Amino acid sequence: MADPKGFLNTARREWPRRSVGERVKDWDEVYVPGALLPIVEQQADRCMDCGIPFCHDACPLGNLIPDWNELVSRADWRAAADRLHATNNFPEFTGRLCPAPCESGCVLAINQPAVTIKNVEAAIADRSWQDGLNAPRPPDRHSGRTVAVVGSGPAGLAAAQQLTRAGHTVVVYERDDRAGGLMRYGIPAFKMEKHHLERRLAQMRDEGTVFRTSVTVGRDIGADELRGRYDAVVLAVGATAWRELDLPGRELDGIHQAMEYLPFANHVCEGDIDTSPLSAAGKHVVIVGGGDTGADCLGTAVREGAASVTQLDIYERPGDLRDELAEPWPTYPKIYRLSPAHEEADELRVSPAADADARLFAASTLRFTGDAAGRVRALHVTEVDAERRPRPGTARTLPADLVLLALGFSGPERTRGGLVDQLGLDVEDRGTLARDADFTTNVPGVFATGDAARGQSLIVWAIAEGRATAAAVDRWLTGETRLAAPIGPYDRPMTA
Ligand SMILES: Cc1cc2nc3c(=O)[nH]c(=O)nc-3n(C[C@H](O)[C@H](O)[C@H](O)COP(=O)(O)OP(=O)(O)OC[C@H]3O[C@@H](n4cnc5c(N)ncnc54)[C@H](O)[C@@H]3O)c2cc1C
Ligand code: SF4
């Protein structure tokens, strides 16, 4: 600690965001470029380096947070980058996209604003690229063993990078035309610009990982062929089977799933198409679902120039402060959070139906109605109590030309005769791939990782799963492993 009283002398300051008026006119990240590095050393110095760093435990990757806070406060960026990459393959992703449960566990957060851990992580990641510290790390020698990774989201990428670095020959199969999983075609560029992804993929290619995109395993290449060709197979296929809303009027035109809508906006940003065929421009948009996916639809619809946008959340509005009895420190509490997209909606007053930030809480959809041409024109909604019973007299009608369903996901997609059937995989009741503590499915040599097995989750968990699965695969192939495994039976937080 450069200043042992940093936590007393310095107030929390976050990475400044661009003005709402400026940022909704483009798809660039919401942050002011270059504004983080000048403040971050002092912010890192707010870390108390407390005896028991609960933030370690709160981070699924076991990131060595007080260590790198200390190094950043002393401007030792090289050592900070080493410590950060010891536990996290892709800190520029989590530094932008993670909801930062570590900050809820920060000891300072007991009675003061937490250390800006996520911002410090992003700064170290960006500085390490800027300073040329992320040179490819190809293995010294090859093991002669081969691994197929199916799916190139954060779980597949983390597993592939770890296994490549351990000396195995790794091929990543991805059905999309570009690698990245939900970080590519789900998450909008204003949350994370895609050049961060490109840079990591280039590093991985230079280390020896091979990518085969536009290949659907189970259709373009059979699961048996894959098993015959490779010594081990890692299924990192995500959990993208979306939940439906079977209500009267669901068949009307103009009602789409969020993951039908968001990829088009991302393809526009990639320069693949000029405009989205589902663009919200000039439309009254209603988003059903109060989570992150819904917020991404909100920010996207605002940028596309929607006439109005309202987001429906079935839950009551959470409180502004942690409920100390139900969710005491250091847990990650359910509190009212204002994402950048909500901040934009709030300032621009994009919803005529909601008081602020475009969200209607405790709101349950009743039905959709449309015009003679079969297009949706209105969504009928009612307020509900905690048991989801309608509150009498609260039913209302919202104008809706575009309805986006963001109700979550149940597990990996299943097609008859597809990958899961071909391999004869066991599936849990909740729809995820069954596996044991070693990340192995019921088929020997076939492993399951990330959202596909954990269920819909977070990028930080996907990276943790990928790292741990790589350790399990390495052990299965060679009888031992030196790879780090933040979760699971080989829980070893350090090195590689
Ligand atoms: C819109 C949206 C926004 C989100 N925002 C955030 C956020 O801000 N922060 C956060 O932490 N988390 C966020 N999440 C969650 C996060 O993106 C996921 O938890 C994470 O991407 C899961 O990683 P994964 O590697 O397990 O799967 P995915 O990222 O889903 O990747 C799976 C990949 O497998 C491919 N695939 C599937 N089947 C096959 C096949 N048969 N053959 C070849 N390839 C196949 C898919 O095309 C996909 O690319 C968001 C999710 C969504 C939907
Ligand atoms: S990955 Fe997430 S939880 Fe871990 S240190 Fe970074 S922001 Fe915190």
Side-chain angles (χ1 to χ4, degrees):
M1 275 178 283
D3 175 7
K5 291 189 179 166
F7 65 100
L8 294 174
N9 297 334
T10 306
R12 175 179 164 112
R13 259 183 87 192
E14 291 176 27
W15 190 351
R17 294 176 188 149
R18 296 186 290 139
S19 74
V20 165
E22 179 192 322
R23 71 192 198 221
V24 296
K25 295 197 190 91
D26 61 47
W27 295 94
D28 298 343
E29 278 174 16
V30 297
Y31 304 108
V32 179
L36 178 58
L37 287 176
I39 61 170
V40 80
E41 287 173 19
Q42 238 195 336
Q43 288 299 309
D45 210 13
R46 292 184 69 237
C47 177
M48 300 185 290
D49 197 12
C50 41
I52 302 175
F54 285 80
C55 55
H56 267 204
D57 213 38
C59 171
L61 285 162
N63 274 349
L64 306 166
I65 297 161
D67 293 23
W68 36 261
N69 277 334
E70 160 80 12
L71 292 162
V72 168
S73 75
R74 291 197 271 116
D76 188 347
W77 291 93
R78 177 181 286 271
D82 278 353
R83 298 303 270 163
L84 179 53
H85 285 99
T87 56
N88 188 353
N89 297 63
F90 312 124
E92 63 277 27
F93 304 165
T94 44
R96 286 173 171 76
L97 298 170
C98 187
C102 54
E103 294 187 18
S104 301
C106 174
V107 172
L108 200 53
I110 293 175
N111 63 359
Q112 285 194 49
V115 175
T116 52
I117 299 170
K118 174 176 161 175
N119 283 179
V120 179
E121 181 173 39
I124 301 169
D126 290 359
R127 258 306 281 261
S128 66
W129 282 108
Q130 198 179 304
D131 295 351
L133 301 176
N134 290 336
R137 287 168 42 194
D140 298 333
R141 67 176 78 92
H142 289 280
S143 67
R145 314 308 296 269
T146 56
V147 184
V149 175
V150 186
S152 66
L157 293 181
Q161 185 165 60
Q162 294 291 92
L163 287 164
T164 302
R165 286 178 174 177
H168 306 301
T169 300
V170 180
V171 179
V172 178
Y173 289 88
E174 170 55 57
R175 66 183 174 183
D176 284 336
D177 58 346
R178 293 183 180 91
L182 288 173
M183 296 185 300
R184 172 70 72 180
Y185 291 129
I187 293 172
F190 60 82
K191 276 170 65 177
M192 187 180 82
E193 291 167 12
K194 309 296 166 177
H195 60 85
H196 300 292
L197 202 42
E198 297 304 348
R199 221 165 30 180
R200 275 297 168 189
L201 293 171
Q203 182 200 39
M204 290 181 67
R205 282 190 194 97
D206 289 345
E207 289 171 353
T209 305
V210 175
F211 289 90
R212 300 236 188 282
T213 51
S214 303
V215 178
T216 300
V217 175
R219 191 192 65 192
D220 302 325
I221 174 170
D224 279 345
E225 195 180 337
L226 209 65
R227 283 192 72 208
R229 246 195 240 177
Y230 296 92
D231 296 315
V233 175
V234 177
L235 301 176
V237 292
T240 46
W242 52 58
R243 297 212 172 89
E244 252 309 333
L245 191 60
D246 288 322
L247 290 174
R250 170 64 182 91
E251 73 288 352
L252 291 164
D253 282 347
I255 303 176
H256 299 277
Q257 288 284 348
M259 277 305 292
E260 292 175 312
Y261 169 72
L262 290 169
F264 283 124
N266 275 304
H267 278 292
V268 171
C269 290
E270 298 274 9
D272 299 337
I273 48 176
D274 291 335
T275 48
S276 163
L278 298 183
S279 172
K283 294 181 185 156
H284 295 287
V285 181
V286 180
I287 300 157
V288 185
D292 276 350
T293 305
D296 289 353
C297 292
L298 173 63
T300 301
V302 167
R303 279 164 181 74
E304 288 177 339
S308 73
V309 196
T310 305
Q311 185 181 7
L312 308 183
D313 191 332
I314 194 133
Y315 295 104
E316 300 261 356
R317 182 192 185 284
D320 292 319
L321 297 174
R322 180 197 282 284
D323 178 338
E324 294 292 352
L325 287 178
E327 296 175 307
W329 175 89
T331 58
Y332 185 72
K334 189 166 168 41
I335 55 171
Y336 179 74
R337 291 187 167 87
L338 201 67
S339 73
H342 293 120
E343 186 185 58
E344 291 155 11
D346 199 5
E347 192 170 319
L348 300 174
R349 297 280 155 181
V350 298
S351 170
D355 292 339
D357 82 17
R359 274 180 287 190
L360 277 182
F361 289 97
S364 180
T365 307
L366 297 169
R367 64 185 192 283
F368 311 98
T369 47
D371 59 19
R375 276 207 65 86
V376 68
R377 289 294 172 219
L379 179 148
H380 304 265
V381 64
T382 182
E383 233 179 271
V384 286
D385 62 19
E387 274 76 49
R388 309 265 167 95
R389 288 176 304 229
R391 290 208 168 98
T394 60
R396 61 202 284 198
T397 302
L398 305 178
D401 313 307
L402 176 63
V403 175
L404 299 171
L405 305 178
L407 301 156
F409 305 90
S410 56
E413 290 166 40
R414 301 274 304 270
T415 50
R416 193 184 291 271
L419 177 63
V420 174
D421 290 353
Q422 286 177 22
L423 285 169
L425 295 175
D426 286 347
V427 175
E428 305 274 7
D429 289 345
R430 62 193 181 122
T432 50
L433 302 183
R435 63 175 181 189
D436 63 19
D438 276 337
F439 304 91
T440 313
T441 65
N442 55 308
V443 182
V446 177
F447 297 77
T449 193
D451 279 10
R454 167 173 286 274
Q456 177 191 5
S457 185
L458 295 171
I459 285 159
V460 62
W461 273 112
I463 299 172
E465 287 250 340
R467 287 172 69 82
T469 305
V473 173
D474 190 32
R475 184 179 288 253
W476 190 77
L477 289 172
T478 66
E480 58 178 8
T481 186
R482 296 187 61 231
L483 291 178
I487 49 177
Y490 314 122
D491 194 338
R492 297 196 318 137
M494 292 294 301
T495 69

